[in-house]
Amino acid sequence: MIKNILKESLKKGQTVFGPFCKMQDPAIVEIAALSGFDFVIIDMEHGPYSIESAQNMVRAAEARGITPVVRVTENSETLILRTLDIGVRCIQVPQICTKADADKLVKALKFYPKGERGMCRYVRAAEYTNIGPQNHFGKANDSVISIIHIEGMEGINNLSEIVKVDGIDVIFLGPYDLSQSCGVPGEVDHPKVVNAMKEAVEVAQKYGKSVGTFTESPQKAKMWKDIGVQYISYAVDVGIVMNAFKDITAQLND
């Protein structure tokens, strides 16, 4: 089975960086890999992806040696199963607010005895039966990494229980949705938001969980890295292209 390099890097205490991807052209994944990013997040929640188009993005990532992460639309057993079956080993799940939400995710993510993931080896995850059943069903639990989004004060307030769930690997703090929950929508640098995130980092680290977040500048990425955040999503492909285009056109019209 393909090694989960992202999971190994986080266990070693390394910091990893990668953008969200909304463009459906596999070329953007290749460009991210060639640029030196560690991972890409194929965004099914806010992007126009289907399972089929996400699968081709995963293939491009594996071909270029960058880790593909897929953010699904919701904590759905069927959707998580289909995403895992196309060979995704890093799955990001939004709106985890309670311990029950986290338990539900692990149940869908893991095979017996840790969960109840649907069993089928006639899928890309098992190399279309090239990987034997004992290897696929026996080793998949260890190769998959779960990244949960804490996006509101309900999740923040329940975090001390959520982090105790076995099978949750990364606590991802979503600053934009959290800002809305704090009553300051869009103000991701507001003290209410930043302080809530810092407290969440401390809780997660206390229980040995890696922490992730979203940033839109190298300066903010460095700030969160210094605080102890390891899994840093740096901006979004469409925004990166837009900013680059604007910078170029501003210079051309100067």
Side-chain angles (χ1 to χ4, degrees):
M1 298 183 74
I2 298 172
K3 285 185 178 181
N4 193 326
I5 298 173
L6 182 65
K7 191 170 187 176
E8 292 180 356
S9 296
L10 292 174
K11 281 185 175 181
K12 293 175 183 176
Q14 298 172 356
T15 304
V16 291
F17 301 92
F20 275 95
C21 289
K22 300 187 188 298
M23 298 182 189
Q24 295 182 77
D25 189 336
I28 197 67
V29 173
E30 293 188 287
I31 291 168
L34 294 167
S35 299
F37 279 116
D38 302 293
F39 62 90
V40 290
I41 305 172
I42 300 160
D43 191 3
M44 295 185 73
E45 183 184 18
H46 290 293
Y49 291 102
S50 64
I51 287 290
E52 291 85 357
S53 59
Q55 180 173 246
N56 286 331
M57 301 291 276
V58 171
R59 287 182 172 127
E62 291 175 354
R64 286 294 185 178
I66 190 172
T67 298
V69 180
V70 172
R71 176 165 73 171
V72 295
T73 58
E74 60 183 326
N75 190 9
S76 158
E77 178 183 350
T78 300
L79 181 57
I80 289 168
L81 173 61
R82 296 192 71 200
T83 305
L84 293 171
D85 279 351
I86 64 171
V88 174
R89 289 181 173 82
C90 303
I91 192 161
Q92 203 155 313
V93 183
Q95 298 296 344
I96 300 298
C97 300
T98 65
K99 181 179 180 294
D101 291 338
D103 286 332
K104 179 183 177 182
L105 167 59
V106 173
K107 184 178 177 181
L109 197 71
K110 305 284 189 179
F111 290 122
Y112 177 86
K114 294 184 177 181
E116 297 179 4
R117 173 181 168 185
M119 301 183 80
C120 180
R121 7 184 242 121
Y122 297 88
V123 292
R124 185 173 184 273
E127 295 181 0
Y128 312 105
T129 71
N130 189 48
I131 297 175
Q134 288 187 334
N135 277 335
H136 178 52
F137 300 131
K139 295 181 179 179
N141 283 354
D142 294 330
S143 69
V144 172
I145 184 172
S146 62
I147 304 162
I148 63 168
H149 278 235
I150 303 295
E151 302 181 90
M153 288 309 299
E154 183 182 5
I156 294 289
N157 293 334
N158 290 325
L159 189 57
S160 59
E161 292 301 315
I162 292 171
V163 292
K164 294 176 184 177
V165 175
D166 184 28
I168 299 300
D169 299 296
V170 180
I171 308 299
F172 187 91
L173 306 172
Y176 274 98
D177 281 308
L178 184 56
S179 73
Q180 180 167 252
S181 182
C182 288
V184 288
E187 297 181 45
V188 295
D189 296 323
H190 194 284
K192 286 184 179 179
V193 179
V194 175
N195 290 337
M197 290 175 65
K198 287 181 177 179
E199 291 175 8
V201 171
E202 291 180 5
V203 172
Q205 291 178 333
K206 179 181 177 182
Y207 288 90
K209 304 294 185 182
S210 299
V211 183
T213 195
F214 174 81
T215 66
E216 295 171 287
S217 73
Q219 294 77 20
K220 289 293 171 56
K222 185 179 186 306
M223 181 193 83
W224 287 113
K225 178 183 177 181
D226 291 343
I227 290 170
V229 175
Q230 291 178 256
Y231 176 81
I232 297 177
S233 169
Y234 182 82
V236 183
D237 57 0
V238 293
I240 293 170
V241 172
M242 176 66 79
N243 289 336
F245 280 13
K246 282 185 173 181
D247 183 56
I248 292 167
T249 55
Q251 293 181 59
L252 291 173
N253 293 307
D254 188 4

